[in-house]
Amino acid sequence: MMDRLREGVNSIAVKIILGLIILSFVFAGVGSYIVGGAGNTAAKVGNVEIGRGEFEQAYQNERNRMQSQLGDYFSNLLADPAYVESFRKSVLDRMINDLLLEQHAESLGLRVSDAQVRTMIVEMPQFLADGKFDQDIYQASLRRAGFSPESFAEYLRRDLVRNQLLTAIQASDFSLPTEVEAQAKLLTQTREVETLTLPLADFAAKVELTEEDINDYYKQNAERYTRPEQAKVAYIELSAQQLKDSITVSDEQAKQYYQEHMDKYSSEEQRRVSHILVEGDDQAKAQSILDELNGGADFAILAEEKSDDFGSASEGGSLGWIEREVMDPTFEEAAFALKNVGDVTGLVKSDFGYHIIKLDELKSSVAKPYTEVAAEIKQELKDQQAIDQYYELQSELEKIAFEYPDSLDDAAEAIGAKIVTTDFISQLDAPELLKAPAVMQAILSPEVKEDGLNSEVIEVAPEHVIVVRVEDLRDETVLPLEEVRDQVTTTLAKVKGEQNAIELADKLVASLKDGSSELLTENGLAFGESESLDRSSPMADVIFAMPKPKQGEVEYAQAKQMNGDIAVVRLAKVSEEFDSQFNTQIGTQLTQMNAQQDLSGLISILRKTTDIEYFVVTQ
C-alpha cells in the first residue's frame, strides 16, 4: 500500500488533488485562526477586548512556569487534551478576572499618577545596580520581556490600580479578639491519649484461606490481575549530544578558527555617554538646551534639570557604558561618531525624541589570548560539528525510515545507530525515553501498532529524535490464577486480617464504653503510655473528632494508623491552654481568609453583571 502511494504521488492527478487540499487548509484552516470568530480577540469583557496574542503569551508564560516546577509530571498532564483545555481556560479566566477588577477600580475613581509609576520603576530591585537605578539594566530587561518603556509603564499602571482595590478590600476586613481566641484554642488544643495497636501483619498471618475463598476473590477482583496490552518496541535514536562525544577538535583547527574570528574574542569598543532627552517633537526646546550648552552651561546640571529621561536625569544624564547594536540606531550612530572625550553632538532625532549626546569615556577593543579561549573554541567547534552532523543525519533518517517502512535496519545503518528492542512493555512500565507523550502516541497509532510500519521521526528533546516500530503485540488479558496465586493469597489475607482487626476493635470499644475490660484480658492486650497529641498527629482526624470527656471519664474510638494497623484510642483529657504569642499570626490568617472570600464574592458579582464573551479556542 505504501509503495503504491509513493508511486502515485508523482502523478498529475494526485498533485492537483493535493493542491486543492492545501488550498482548503489555507482558506478554511489557517484562515479560521486569522479571521475566524472574533479575529484577534480571545475574550471581550464589557467593551474591552483581551487580545488573542496577549492570551497566548500569558498561556505560554504560565505553561513555562508550571513546567519548570513540575517537570515531566506536567508534560504528562499536557498529553491529555481535556486537561490542556481546562488549563488554557483557567489562564483566560484569570485574565478576565484581572480586567474586571481593573474596570471596577476605575469606576470607583482609583487612579495612579505618572510620578507614582516613575517612582516604582526607579525603585524596582530588578533595575538596580549597587543600590542605584541602572538605565542599561532597565532597557535590557524590557527588551528581554518584550516591553517598550511605554507598554511597561502602562502594565505597571494597571497593576497598581488593581492592587489599590485589593489593598482596600484587605484593609476593610478584620478579626474580633473573641474569634482569634476561639480559633487559637482550636488550633493549639492538645489531647492526652493512650493507644492500643492491633498489628495488621499479626491478623493476616492468622487468616486461614480456603480454595473457594481464593477463587472467589480472584474472580471478584479480576481487574487487579489483568495484564494490560503490551508491545515489544524497537527504536533507534539520534542525538547531537551522542555525536559530540565522538568528535575531537585539534589545536590546529582551534587556532585557525581563533585567527579567522578574532573579533569574536575581542571586547567590543565601549563608550560611556550621557544624554539630555526632549521627548516628542519639541525641537525648539531641544535647540534652546543645545544653545545653553554651547554657551558654556554644565551638561550634568542641564540634564538633571531639563532631561525627560527620568532614569538618567538624576545621574547627570549618564547612560553608563554602551556597545554597538544596543541603543536606538540613530542614537548609536551619533554616539559612536564622537571622536574625543568631552565632545557633544548636535540634535539627534530618534523614535523617543531629540537627544544631545556627550562622550564621557572610551574603552578600546582588546583581544583575549588564545590560551584563555582555547577550551571554549574547541567546545564550540565540537558543538557546531555535532549540530551539522545531527541535522544531516536527521534528514537521512527521515528519508530512509520512510522509504523502507517495514524495518529499522536500513535507517540504523544509514546513520550508524544501534537498534534497541524492548521486552513486552505497557504504557506504565515503558522506558522513560518511550514515555514521552509524542512517542507513546506514535506507538499507539494504527500505522505503527497495527500495520507494523516505522513511525515518523519524533523529537523528544532539542537535537534528539527517535524512530519507533512495534515488533510484536500482546493483548490485554486476565492472568491465570496459578500465575498470580501468591499475590491473591497475600492480598486476601491482608483484607480478611484487617476485617478481623476492625471487628475486634469495634468489640473492644463497645465493651470499654460499657466499663468492661474482660475482652482486653482475654486477648492479652493493653494500652500504651499516655501521650499528648496535637493536630499534626497522624490520627488527628479521629482523635480530634472524639467528644470531650466529662470530668473523671474517658472516651474510646477506633482509628487506622499510617502503616495500616488498627488502633483503639482512649481519650482521657483535653487541654485548651494556648500561647497568646500566636494570636497576631492567627488574626492575620483569619483576616486574609475573610478578604479572599470578599474578593471571590466581588468577582462573582462582577461576572454576573458584566457581559463576557469567549472567542478563543481553549484546546
Side-chain angles (χ1 to χ4, degrees):
M1 173 181 157
M2 296 296 294
D3 290 336
R4 290 198 297 274
L5 176 59
R6 280 192 289 272
E7 292 169 2
V9 80
N10 290 319
S11 71
I12 294 176
V14 170
K15 289 182 177 178
I16 293 173
I17 294 172
L18 288 175
L20 292 174
I21 292 174
I22 291 169
L23 286 175
S24 71
F25 273 112
V26 169
F27 292 110
V30 178
S32 68
Y33 284 95
I34 298 175
V35 297
N40 290 324
T41 303
K44 190 174 182 181
V45 183
N47 295 322
V48 181
E49 295 180 348
I50 295 175
R52 186 185 295 266
E54 182 184 359
F55 162 66
E56 292 296 345
Q57 183 62 50
Y59 166 68
Q60 286 300 328
N61 290 342
E62 183 65 11
R63 177 171 173 161
N64 293 340
R65 187 183 69 82
M66 294 290 289
Q67 184 72 57
S68 65
Q69 290 182 354
L70 303 179
D72 291 341
Y73 176 73
F74 186 66
S75 298
N76 293 332
L77 290 177
L78 292 179
D80 180 3
Y83 176 80
V84 173
E85 181 177 358
S86 173
F87 181 62
R88 284 172 62 84
K89 188 174 186 298
S90 70
V91 174
L92 186 54
D93 280 336
R94 186 163 61 248
M95 297 177 73
I96 290 172
N97 291 345
D98 286 346
L99 186 52
L100 286 169
L101 292 174
E102 290 168 21
Q103 292 175 347
H104 185 60
E106 290 176 2
S107 72
L108 296 175
L110 299 180
R111 298 289 186 271
V112 174
S113 68
D114 291 343
Q116 287 176 288
V117 175
R118 289 194 189 98
T119 300
M120 184 175 184
I121 291 175
V122 172
E123 293 178 352
M124 289 179 73
Q126 298 92 325
F127 305 144
L128 300 183
D130 298 325
K132 295 183 178 180
F133 180 82
D134 190 298
Q135 184 75 14
D136 292 341
I137 296 176
Y138 170 66
Q139 292 182 347
S141 299
L142 261 57
R143 282 195 298 273
R144 284 196 300 270
F147 283 110
S148 67
E150 293 78 11
S151 63
F152 182 66
E154 181 58 27
Y155 167 80
L156 284 182
R157 189 189 308 278
R158 292 171 56 189
D159 194 52
L160 286 169
V161 169
R162 189 168 63 249
N163 283 331
Q164 279 186 339
L165 176 62
L166 297 178
T167 301
I169 292 174
Q170 187 170 13
S172 66
D173 275 298
F174 58 90
S175 300
L176 295 172
T178 52
E179 289 181 294
V180 175
E181 183 175 335
Q183 189 72 9
K185 287 181 177 180
L186 285 174
L187 292 175
T188 60
Q189 184 186 100
T190 59
R191 298 194 162 203
E192 301 291 331
V193 301
E194 298 170 11
T195 305
L196 183 159
T197 301
L198 303 177
L200 186 58
D202 293 350
F203 282 81
K206 296 176 183 177
V207 171
E208 296 181 0
L209 300 176
T210 66
E211 194 63 28
E212 183 179 2
D213 291 335
I214 295 172
N215 275 289
D216 287 346
Y217 187 81
Y218 168 74
K219 291 176 182 177
Q220 292 167 8
N221 297 274
E223 71 281 355
R224 294 188 179 185
Y225 308 104
T226 298
R227 185 185 65 207
E229 181 184 54
Q230 294 180 317
K232 189 173 288 187
V233 178
Y235 65 90
I236 53 176
E237 59 177 317
L238 175 64
S239 163
Q241 184 58 53
Q242 292 175 349
L243 295 174
K244 290 176 190 178
D245 297 338
S246 63
I247 294 173
T248 302
V249 176
S250 67
D251 279 326
E252 289 73 18
Q253 291 173 304
K255 287 178 180 176
Q256 180 181 349
Y257 185 85
Y258 173 74
Q259 294 296 332
E260 293 173 353
H261 299 82
M262 184 69 73
D263 59 326
K264 188 174 182 179
Y265 303 102
S266 301
S267 61
E268 293 281 348
E269 176 191 352
Q270 292 184 319
R271 293 178 169 231
R272 190 163 63 84
V273 299
S274 300
H275 83 142
I276 297 172
L277 172 65
V278 176
E279 290 182 333
D281 296 320
D282 194 345
Q283 185 175 3
K285 178 182 176 182
Q287 184 61 50
S288 68
I289 296 174
L290 181 60
D291 292 342
E292 287 186 64
L293 286 172
N294 292 335
D298 184 270
F299 191 97
I301 293 175
L302 279 181
E304 188 172 353
E305 294 176 350
K306 300 187 177 183
S307 178
D308 291 333
D309 182 357
F310 62 88
S312 66
S314 60
E315 301 297 323
S318 176
L319 293 174
W321 293 98
I322 66 171
E323 299 176 356
R324 291 188 183 276
E325 299 182 1
V326 172
M327 309 297 286
D328 178 272
T330 308
F331 181 100
E332 187 174 289
E333 181 180 355
F336 279 85
L338 296 171
K339 299 297 183 182
N340 303 305
V341 172
D343 286 354
V344 177
T345 66
L347 298 184
V348 178
K349 184 71 170 71
S350 77
D351 292 338
F352 301 99
Y354 287 95
H355 304 263
I356 303 169
I357 308 167
K358 177 188 174 189
L359 178 59
D360 297 323
E361 194 175 343
L362 277 170
K363 280 185 184 177
S364 300
S365 174
V366 178
K368 293 181 181 179
Y370 168 75
T371 53
E372 287 187 17
V373 296
E376 177 186 341
I377 291 174
K378 288 181 179 180
Q379 186 60 50
E380 184 175 348
L381 289 175
K382 183 183 290 189
D383 291 348
Q384 189 56 56
Q385 289 179 31
I387 294 298
D388 291 343
Q389 287 185 30
Y390 168 80
Y391 284 109
E392 182 180 338
L393 291 174
Q394 181 187 359
S395 179
E396 186 69 9
L397 177 60
E398 290 174 343
K399 174 184 174 184
I400 302 300
F402 176 76
E403 291 182 348
Y404 300 93
D406 300 321
S407 169
L408 289 175
D409 294 341
D410 296 286
E413 183 179 354
I415 66 169
K418 178 183 177 183
I419 299 175
V420 179
T421 303
T422 70
D423 197 352
F424 280 105
I425 57 171
S426 67
Q427 294 186 55
L428 297 177
D429 58 7
E432 286 302 317
L433 181 64
L434 302 184
K435 281 184 178 179
V439 178
M440 192 56 66
Q441 185 177 358
I443 292 173
L444 298 176
S445 67
E447 296 82 4
V448 176
K449 175 183 168 184
E450 297 170 12
D451 298 342
L453 302 178
N454 295 337
S455 73
E456 296 180 342
V457 173
I458 307 163
E459 184 177 53
V460 293
E463 282 86 45
H464 187 181
V465 294
I466 185 175
V467 176
V468 298
R469 63 177 291 103
V470 173
E471 297 287 356
D472 198 1
L473 276 174
R474 197 154 66 177
D475 293 335
E476 178 181 277
T477 183
V478 177
L479 297 171
L481 175 59
E482 292 311 311
E483 193 173 324
V484 293
R485 176 176 290 274
D486 289 344
Q487 298 175 45
V488 174
T489 55
T490 299
T491 304
L492 181 55
K494 288 181 179 179
V495 171
K496 287 188 171 292
E498 183 178 46
Q499 292 172 349
N500 294 339
I502 291 173
E503 183 180 344
L504 177 58
D506 288 340
K507 292 178 179 178
L508 285 169
V509 170
S511 65
L512 290 168
K513 285 183 176 181
D514 290 339
S516 172
S517 60
E518 291 182 8
L519 196 57
L520 280 177
T521 306
E522 289 177 10
N523 288 274
L525 299 172
F527 283 93
E529 295 290 330
S530 176
E531 53 184 336
S532 179
L533 301 179
D534 59 23
R535 292 183 182 273
S536 64
S537 166
M539 296 188 294
D541 288 348
V542 172
I543 294 171
F544 283 85
M546 296 171 69
K548 181 180 179 180
K550 295 179 180 178
Q551 184 68 32
E553 298 182 3
V554 294
E555 290 289 337
Y556 294 94
Q558 179 212 121
K560 191 169 186 177
Q561 296 181 324
M562 292 288 289
N563 63 357
D565 291 343
I566 305 303
V568 176
V569 178
R570 177 159 60 194
L571 173 61
K573 180 182 177 184
V574 173
S575 174
E576 295 183 343
E577 295 181 5
F578 68 97
D579 192 336
S580 60
Q581 67 172 320
F582 298 112
N583 281 16
T584 301
Q585 181 181 351
I586 293 171
T588 300
Q589 291 175 347
L590 285 174
T591 300
Q592 289 174 345
M593 289 171 58
N594 293 338
Q596 186 58 47
Q597 290 175 352
D598 291 346
L599 178 60
S600 298
L602 174 61
I603 290 174
S604 177
I605 293 171
L606 293 175
R607 277 183 166 271
K608 290 177 181 177
T609 56
T610 306
D611 291 331
I612 300 173
E613 296 179 83
Y614 290 82
F615 297 109
V616 75
V617 178
T618 55
Q619 59 182 346

